[in-house]
Amino acid sequence: MKKRVIALTGAGISAESGLKTFRDANGLWEGHDVMEVASPSGFARNPELVLDFYNQRRRQLLQVQPNAAHKALVALEEYYEVHIITQNVDDLHERAGSSNVLHLHGELLKARSTGPGSEPFHWAKDICWGDRCERGHQLRPHIVWFGEEVPQMPEAARLTSEADILIIVGTSMQVYPAAGLVHYAPDDTPIYFVDPKPSVSERDFRNLEIYAESAVSGVPKILDALADR
């Protein structure tokens, strides 16, 4: 029976495919305050602005490809049962070939109705004001906005609590509730942290190994190390 690897991934892994990270150093997303484009109140005030923001992100996503870090996590499946828990809303893990991907914050290539009880569905084109579901409700991106529940958190916590090995890639682990997942890992779980500017030190967690480098450089090294075990 294969050991279980849980990989927590964030914007840094996709940035190396050329995908812009949403939030820059001053807290703006593409020049917008996050609450303008990533909150229910922002959508209520200016839905066309919000739809255009995500339409641009979706178009960009369709122009980029998975990188060596995404592919290394796929290759790890030869040796381990690998589950990806990602804060990213792109589909680069899936396109690389990962078998088990859980999206905490939604998916750009899905839409859902603003009406009650709606389920997300595949949507790869622009969402325009006036695009409606069969019941007449406006469509919106399948994105978890600030102030909304993160419905996949219980499953993410369960998976992390069963991790034999934990890999953290391209995330500062500063944004909650996702940042709290690391605390669900069993105490003796080895943790590999990959980030060019690590926000943690080896004093913060037991069994922590830091790769202070890019995802495309660090994750293949972890693959090599774990493949030899």
Side-chain angles (χ1 to χ4, degrees), residues 15-188:
E16 295 185 63
S17 287
L19 197 61
K20 292 181 181 178
T21 56
F22 276 4
R23 193 188 306 205
D24 57 27
N26 60 8
L28 300 180
W29 286 3
E30 293 291 296
H32 300 288
D33 182 280
V34 294
M35 299 308 289
E36 290 180 358
V37 294
S39 70
S41 58
F43 186 65
R45 284 192 302 270
N46 195 340
E48 293 182 77
L49 171 67
V50 175
L51 293 176
D52 180 65
F53 177 83
Y54 289 99
N55 288 341
Q56 292 183 48
R57 309 283 77 69
R58 193 179 301 106
R59 291 175 209 148
Q60 184 192 25
L61 171 57
L62 296 173
Q63 296 173 358
V64 301
Q65 299 297 327
N67 60 51
H70 296 103
K71 294 173 184 177
L73 291 174
V74 176
L76 199 58
E77 293 186 17
E78 180 179 349
Y79 311 97
Y80 297 89
E81 177 189 337
V82 181
H83 292 261
I84 310 292
I85 300 173
T86 186
Q87 298 176 64
N88 300 334
V89 296
D90 60 66
D91 67 336
L92 294 180
H93 284 300
E94 287 90 342
R95 274 195 264 161
S98 285
S99 302
N100 306 296
V101 185
L102 185 151
H103 288 268
L104 285 177
H105 297 156
E107 300 176 62
L108 261 180
L109 295 181
K110 289 185 178 179
R112 70 176 190 262
S113 170
T114 54
S118 64
E119 292 293 327
F121 50 88
H122 182 73
W123 189 280
K125 59 183 180 179
D126 287 0
I127 301 177
C128 300
W129 183 246
D131 286 338
R132 300 182 181 279
C133 71
E134 58 187 16
R135 296 182 179 180
H137 300 287
Q138 172 66 38
L139 298 183
R140 57 162 281 181
H142 179 51
I143 302 293
V144 177
W145 288 329
F146 288 98
E148 293 185 321
E149 181 184 358
V150 183
Q152 296 284 16
M153 273 301 296
E155 177 63 8
R158 184 192 69 79
L159 287 169
T160 307
S161 72
E162 299 172 353
D164 295 303
I165 298 167
L166 185 64
I167 302 173
I168 302 173
V169 186
T171 173
S172 65
M173 298 304 291
Q174 302 296 311
V175 178
Y176 285 83
L181 285 173
V182 65
H183 300 294
Y184 285 92
D187 289 341
D188 58 348

